[in-house]
């Protein structure tokens, strides 16, 4: 696929200008603290190796048991020093430039470049970063308690992707999240109330009795989509379950 000189002028020059601006911002931005390591391996590399679904499978059905257990031990050895990095990852967002650049490459492919960039750009998508942050929270378990206030803030984020991902992150910190989630049942934001009620019912069973009125209110909403309705019904069912599916992982 060939691109005309006019297209190159109006597409690639602004793109390269954006790349230059981004590089300058990276160069002059205050350096972040070094990433924690354990046995010479970075925290995020350990986080990638956790299969979070194994937390809910019976031992005989765990697909990556040995790999996940090694990563869990490593992150727990790092301890609460892992929390600043975990919270940065949980709050990750793709910038406007990053989204546009990624979409353009996906649409046109490498062969569409009329001018090769002066350096290679490696982007880690924000959803992958949040996945790693969530895994760190789950690995730390109740030791992640100091991170709960920030996770609760992210849970109320105006970014729907971050808010949704925090529904996966918060249960990892264990029952310490129950009181602040119950507090959110009175949020003026209906979406926040709904998410909090679903999360309480899904993971914390009998402790989530306060969520029942909110869940019932959701079912009365004719605008509730089918996916959310199914999640509400499932949460209501689990509230009445004596042993909720949440398996608490205490640090060894």
């Amino acid at each position: 696929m060939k691109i005309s000189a006019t297209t190159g002028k109006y597409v690639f020059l602004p793109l390269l200008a954006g790349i230059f601006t981004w590089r300058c911002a990276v160069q002059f931005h205050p350096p972040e603290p070094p990433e924690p390591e354990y046995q010479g391996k970075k925290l995020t590399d350990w986080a990638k190796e956790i299969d979070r679904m194994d937390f809910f499978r019976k031992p005989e059905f765990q697909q990556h048991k040995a790999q996940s257990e090694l990563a869990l031990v490593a992150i727990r050895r790092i301890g609460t020093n892992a929390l600043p990095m975990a919270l940065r990852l949980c709050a990750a967002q793709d910038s406007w430039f990053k989204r546009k650049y990624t979409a353009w490459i996906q649409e046109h492919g490498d062969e569409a470049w009329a001018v090769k960039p002066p350096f290679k750009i490696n982007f880690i998508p924000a959803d992958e970063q949040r996945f790693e942050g969530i895994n760190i929270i789950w690995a730390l378990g109740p030791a992640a308690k100091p991170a709960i206030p920030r996770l609760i803030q992210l849970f109320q984020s105006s970014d729907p992707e971050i808010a949704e991902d925090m529904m996966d992150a918060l249960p990892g910190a264990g029952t310490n999240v129950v009181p602040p989630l119950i507090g959110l049942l009175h949020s003026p934001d209906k979406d926040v109330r709904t998410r909090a009620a679903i999360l309480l019912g899904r993971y914390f069973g009998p402790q989530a009795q306060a969520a029942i009125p909110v869940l019932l209110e959701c079912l009365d909403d004719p605008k509730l989509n089918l996916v959310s309705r199914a999640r509400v019904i499932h949460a209501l069912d689990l509230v009445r379950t004596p042993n909720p599916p949440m398996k608490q992982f205490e640090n060894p």
Side-chain angles (χ1 to χ4, degrees):
M1 177 180 177
K2 294 184 178 180
I3 298 178
S4 67
T6 302
T7 302
K9 178 179 179 181
Y10 291 104
V11 174
F12 293 108
L13 291 180
L15 182 61
L16 291 176
I19 294 172
F20 176 77
T21 302
W22 170 74
R23 290 285 291 185
C24 289
V26 170
Q27 182 175 354
F28 296 107
H29 189 275
E32 294 180 345
E35 183 175 344
E37 296 184 1
Y38 179 74
Q39 294 185 344
K41 190 171 180 177
K42 290 184 177 180
L43 171 63
T44 49
D45 291 329
W46 285 115
K48 290 183 179 76
E49 297 188 0
I50 296 176
D51 181 351
R52 208 182 318 134
M53 291 308 299
D54 276 352
F55 282 62
F56 301 95
R57 299 185 182 112
K58 294 182 178 179
E60 61 269 26
F61 297 114
Q62 292 176 356
Q63 299 178 2
H64 306 96
K65 182 178 180 180
Q67 171 184 308
S68 292
E69 285 183 347
L70 282 174
L72 289 171
V73 169
I75 294 173
R76 287 168 179 171
R77 292 290 183 269
I78 294 172
T80 53
N81 289 333
L83 289 179
M85 171 65 76
L87 291 176
R88 287 200 299 273
L89 293 168
C90 284
Q93 290 179 290
D94 289 328
S95 66
W96 178 90
F97 170 73
K98 187 175 177 180
R99 292 195 303 271
K100 293 295 183 182
Y101 174 84
T102 303
W104 193 88
I105 290 296
Q106 289 176 347
E107 180 179 354
H108 298 285
D110 289 341
E111 71 277 4
W113 283 98
V115 179
K116 289 292 183 181
F119 39 76
K120 186 177 181 180
I121 303 175
N122 290 319
F123 284 141
I124 302 176
D127 59 345
E128 292 184 17
Q129 295 180 64
R130 292 194 296 271
F131 174 83
E132 295 168 9
I134 294 168
N135 280 355
I136 295 169
I137 298 296
W138 275 86
L140 292 174
K145 182 178 179 179
I148 290 176
R150 176 57 177 155
L151 294 176
I152 289 291
Q153 288 179 345
L154 295 173
F155 184 77
Q156 302 172 79
S157 172
S158 58
D159 185 319
E161 293 182 355
I162 290 179
E164 187 71 19
D165 280 348
M166 292 309 100
M167 292 187 71
D168 291 330
L170 279 164
T175 55
N176 291 314
V177 305
V178 171
L181 284 174
I182 289 176
L184 291 180
L185 295 175
H186 305 288
S187 169
D189 187 320
K190 182 179 179 181
D191 291 335
V192 171
R193 292 199 307 272
T194 302
R195 287 197 301 270
I198 290 173
L199 192 54
L200 284 164
R202 182 191 295 175
Y203 289 100
F204 300 104
Q207 299 180 65
Q209 295 294 319
I212 292 177
V214 177
L215 293 169
L216 293 175
E217 177 189 354
C218 292
L219 289 181
D220 289 336
D221 183 359
K223 296 181 180 179
L224 192 69
N225 62 53
L226 290 177
V227 173
S228 296
R229 189 172 295 275
R231 293 168 73 184
V232 168
I233 293 171
H234 183 56
L236 272 169
D237 184 54
L238 291 175
V239 168
R240 300 177 176 88
T241 302
N243 297 306
M246 178 66 188
K247 183 179 181 181
Q248 297 299 327
F249 284 79
E250 298 291 343
N251 288 345

